[in-house]
């Protein structure tokens, strides 16, 4: 009986790469990089080979996606993707050097990021309704919201809230979360949408005030902050995420091994510690569930992006 099963196992081992690279489309030191490094260290234990992180920033993550698209489909190269690169880009760009649907297959969700609305610490707005009332009463000054980038998920969450409330909100795009937060803390913008992880520590320190988050339940990071549904806007919901993707031609058995390594890593205390430190939420679905969610997100956000008329190029 042993000999019967030995041959397939040996063949699989012989086909496996000597190492795996996780390509991250953002510079070292950021949240995506930190999460990738935590997963890399934990996954190397299950895969029994080195897992290293390669930073390939540029064009909002596009360069990393192109690099992985053409990589060997043997588990040696993975992409740390996100909802912008793997969903929104299909609708925000007229031309892409990759196909988000056809060129990649999901390995698994690495972390979730709720989207939050925050205001300056001295703002009179204590609730989402307060902010919207001010925006409606004084559209030339109060009806603005910032986001870390044009075409980002926070950008479209701001438009989604305006539509749900029947209030025209104007978008102020920034080049990253850091300059946006500086202006928010100083009161130079009346409100901002971003990943909740961008605001958590500032909120706890009283340097900004979070008004709502986009999850189905309150975040463990900020239990004092209601969800948009609790604030009266149930259609303003959803999460951003970070996930691992492989080239589309990757074999099912290779994907299964990578998924198992990811699941083991997501339960690793060091990975959980990193997710907490980054202000993110734990992954909450299997590879199959996440793969089924992707077309649903494309349908939902595609309609929102098209209605906005936004194009990045």
């Amino acid at each position: 009986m042993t000999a019967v099963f030995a041959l397939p196992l040996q063949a699989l081992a012989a086909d496996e790469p000597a190492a795996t690279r996780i390509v991250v489309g953002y510079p070292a030191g950021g949240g995506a990089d930190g999460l990738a490094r935590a997963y890399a260290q934990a996954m190397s234990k299950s895969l029994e080979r080195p897992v290293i992180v390669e930073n390939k920033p540029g064009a909002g993550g596009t360069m990393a996606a192109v690099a992985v698209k053409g990589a060997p489909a043997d588990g040696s190269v993975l992409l740390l993707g996100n909802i912008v690169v793997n969903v929104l880009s299909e609708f925000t760009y007229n031309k892409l050097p990759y196909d988000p649907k056809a060129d990649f297959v999901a390995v698994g969700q690495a972390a979730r990021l709720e989207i939050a609305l925050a205001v300056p610490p001295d703002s009179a707005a204590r609730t989402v309704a307060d902010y919207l009332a001010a925006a409606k009463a004084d559209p030339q000054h109060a009806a603005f919201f910032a986001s870390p980038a044009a075409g980002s998920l926070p950008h479209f969450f701001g438009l989604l809230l305006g539509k749900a409330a029947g209030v025209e909100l104007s978008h102020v795009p920034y080049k990253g979360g850091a300059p946006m937060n500086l202006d928010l803390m100083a009161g130079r913008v009346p409100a901002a949408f971003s990943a909740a992880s961008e605001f958590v520590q500032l909120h706890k320190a009283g340097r900004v005030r979070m008004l709502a988050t986009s999850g189905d339940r309150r975040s463990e990071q900020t239990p004092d902050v209601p969800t948009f549904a609790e604030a009266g806007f149930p259609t303003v919901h959803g999460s951003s995420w970070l996930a691992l993707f492989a080239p589309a031609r990757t074999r099912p058995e290779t994907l299964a091994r990578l998924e198992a390594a990811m699941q083991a890593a997501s339960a690793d205390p060091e990975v959980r510690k990193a997710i907490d430190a980054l202000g993110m939420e734990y992954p909450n679905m299997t590879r199959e569930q996440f793969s089924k969610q992707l077309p649903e997100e494309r349908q939902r956000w595609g309609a929102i992006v098209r209605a906005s008329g936004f194009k990045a190029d």
Side-chain angles (χ1 to χ4, degrees):
M1 183 68 71
T2 302
V4 173
F5 291 100
L7 285 175
L9 290 173
Q10 288 170 357
L12 178 60
D15 288 345
E16 289 190 347
T20 293
R21 286 184 294 132
I22 298 177
V23 182
V24 179
Y26 305 95
D33 175 71
L35 183 70
R37 292 180 189 279
Y39 267 93
Q41 185 171 356
M43 287 176 67
S44 66
K45 302 172 190 175
S46 298
L47 294 174
E48 298 181 323
R49 61 177 181 259
V51 180
I52 58 176
V53 173
E54 177 185 340
N55 299 94
K56 201 173 184 65
T62 297
M63 290 181 64
V66 171
V68 175
K69 164 192 171 182
D74 59 359
S76 63
V77 183
L78 304 174
L79 171 71
L80 184 71
N82 58 37
I83 197 168
V84 174
V85 172
N86 294 90
V87 174
L88 295 181
S89 61
E90 179 181 347
F91 310 103
T92 56
Y93 286 90
N94 288 311
K95 290 184 179 180
L96 269 180
Y98 64 93
D99 184 330
K101 296 192 297 289
D103 290 336
F104 305 100
V105 59
V107 175
Q109 190 183 72
R112 293 179 296 115
L113 299 89
E114 310 299 3
I115 304 301
L117 170 63
V119 296
D122 59 353
S123 171
R126 297 280 168 177
T127 65
V128 177
D130 289 344
Y131 162 66
L132 291 169
K136 195 169 185 177
D138 186 7
Q140 293 191 357
H141 298 95
F144 293 88
F145 71 91
S147 84
S152 63
L153 192 63
H155 171 184
F156 297 114
F157 257 96
L159 299 181
L160 189 62
L161 176 63
K163 181 180 179 181
V167 178
E168 188 170 345
L169 300 177
S170 298
H171 179 228
V172 181
Y174 278 75
K175 292 184 177 180
M180 180 196 73
N181 285 342
L182 287 174
D183 278 1
L184 182 66
M185 288 186 285
R188 288 188 282 269
V189 288
F193 276 84
S194 190
S197 56
E198 288 279 342
F199 297 138
V200 168
Q201 296 307 319
L202 296 175
H203 173 77
K204 290 179 177 178
R207 301 177 72 184
V208 305
R209 183 184 306 124
M210 291 171 65
L211 300 183
T213 57
S214 65
D216 295 330
R217 63 182 69 86
R218 295 192 182 199
S219 169
E220 292 182 7
Q221 302 275 349
T222 52
D224 59 317
V225 179
T227 65
F228 281 102
E230 289 177 311
F233 300 95
T235 59
V236 184
H237 69 89
S239 301
S240 184
W241 40 257
L242 291 161
L244 290 183
F245 292 84
R249 304 171 308 283
T250 305
R251 295 182 304 176
E253 56 268 33
T254 301
L255 288 172
R257 182 148 161 73
L258 291 168
E259 180 191 15
M262 269 202 83
Q263 289 181 332
S266 67
D268 187 292
E270 291 304 312
V271 173
R272 295 241 157 182
K273 193 182 299 182
I275 291 173
D276 282 337
L278 292 166
M280 299 178 184
E281 307 287 334
Y282 302 131
N284 64 347
M285 58 184 66
T286 64
R287 177 169 67 91
E288 182 180 6
Q289 291 169 328
F290 181 58
S291 297
K292 287 181 179 178
Q293 177 181 291
L294 289 172
E296 296 170 2
E297 291 193 332
R298 289 188 178 106
Q299 183 176 4
R300 181 193 182 202
W301 290 109
I304 293 169
V305 174
R306 283 191 290 267
S308 76
F310 174 82
K311 284 293 181 182
D313 55 2

